[in-house]
Amino acid sequence: MNYEKINLEQWNRKEHFLHYRHNLQCGFSLTTKVDITTLKAILAKNNIKLYPAMIYLITKTVNSYPESRMAIKDNELVIWDYINPAYTFFHPKTETFSELWSEYFEDWYSFSQEYNQDYQKYKDNLSLSAKANFPENHFCISMIPWVSFDGFNLNVANVKDYFPPIFTMGKYTRQRGKILLPISIQVHHATCDGFHIARMVNKLQDLCDNFSG
């Protein structure tokens, strides 16, 4: 878990960061739809499930930009070298969910191996946190595959120092020959502006269009 400390005095977002961390503590969310038409075809051809593929692509997107990897550590603002996905999975019998995390790897094959190993080991664990040693360098992903949505907002009670983005996906729909996946992204305004969240969405769309399997 290596990281780089940010020198606030030399950071061009110092004023924005301090304002939204101390004066006007707030986060914001954006809901959009990602075109996964090409991605679904590739996944079907290679017998790959959508959820782990999206976890990988979202994690690759998040790790592409420093604003997505910021955190407070030892009372200082830092940027993790990389962050790992923490994601939910559902237990039909109990109608509850557990949270699992996997180590991030930049290439799909290595990540899919890690994901499959974790899922097979912990899929029957009903604890809220199924896997121990939850890393500091993480962000959260969840999915509501039973319903599509046009808007989704996660109300975080205290957003002061929680900077990782939070992703929520819904049920994909077919519209005019396209397969569209609703996705909501929640961010902290201290480290992320509209420009940054738009850049993440555009990056994710590009990765979906060019997934190689």
Side-chain angles (χ1 to χ4, degrees):
M1 294 189 295
N2 295 323
Y3 58 86
E4 174 189 351
K5 295 180 181 179
I6 295 178
N7 185 336
L8 284 180
E9 297 306 315
Q10 296 181 0
W11 191 30
N12 58 356
R13 292 198 80 257
K14 173 188 173 182
E15 186 178 359
H16 303 72
F17 173 76
L18 294 177
H19 176 67
Y20 287 114
R21 186 189 181 201
H22 298 299
N23 301 332
L24 184 61
Q25 298 175 20
C26 70
F28 67 94
S29 61
L30 180 145
T31 301
T32 188
K33 289 183 172 65
V34 177
D35 185 346
I36 59 169
T37 310
T38 301
L39 177 64
K40 280 285 288 178
I42 296 172
L43 298 182
K45 182 179 179 181
N46 293 278
N47 195 29
I48 300 172
K49 293 183 178 180
L50 177 64
Y51 191 42
M54 287 304 303
I55 291 173
Y56 167 72
L57 294 174
I58 290 171
T59 307
K60 191 168 186 176
T61 297
V62 167
N63 277 289
S64 297
Y65 303 110
E67 64 270 7
S68 307
R69 295 180 273 115
M70 292 184 178
I72 295 294
K73 185 171 177 59
D74 300 326
N75 295 316
E76 292 187 283
L77 183 64
V78 304
I79 303 176
W80 297 112
D81 286 355
Y82 69 95
I83 57 176
N84 302 299
Y87 49 92
T88 59
F89 62 97
F90 186 66
H91 304 291
K93 289 185 178 180
T94 59
E95 297 185 348
T96 60
F97 72 90
S98 296
E99 187 173 48
L100 183 59
W101 68 273
S102 293
E103 188 78 17
Y104 171 62
F105 292 90
E106 191 172 357
D107 67 287
W108 162 248
Y109 177 78
S110 298
F111 177 79
S112 64
Q113 293 290 103
E114 184 78 3
Y115 171 89
N116 289 331
Q117 180 178 328
D118 287 331
Y119 181 73
Q120 291 302 320
K121 184 175 181 179
Y122 297 103
K123 65 180 181 179
D124 296 321
N125 187 323
L126 300 179
S127 301
L128 177 59
S129 297
K131 182 180 177 181
N133 302 317
F134 204 84
E136 288 184 83
N137 56 330
H138 77 277
F139 75 105
C140 296
I141 301 174
S142 63
M143 189 169 191
I144 309 172
W146 309 278
V147 64
S148 186
F149 53 74
D150 293 316
F152 181 93
N153 183 61
L154 184 65
N155 298 306
V156 182
N158 183 2
V159 299
K160 182 178 179 181
D161 285 337
Y162 189 82
F163 299 143
I166 303 173
F167 290 78
T168 305
M169 293 175 282
K171 179 181 179 180
Y172 64 77
T173 59
R174 299 177 185 272
Q175 300 179 25
R176 299 180 180 178
K178 294 183 178 181
I179 303 175
L180 303 178
L181 178 72
I183 186 167
S184 175
I185 311 173
Q186 185 103 5
V187 296
H188 196 306
H189 210 347
T191 56
C192 190
D193 300 325
F195 166 80
H196 302 107
I197 200 170
R199 182 165 64 178
M200 279 194 287
V201 170
N202 292 332
K203 175 70 173 181
L204 178 60
Q205 182 64 69
D206 180 66
L207 291 176
C208 287
D209 291 340
N210 294 284
F211 181 71
S212 61

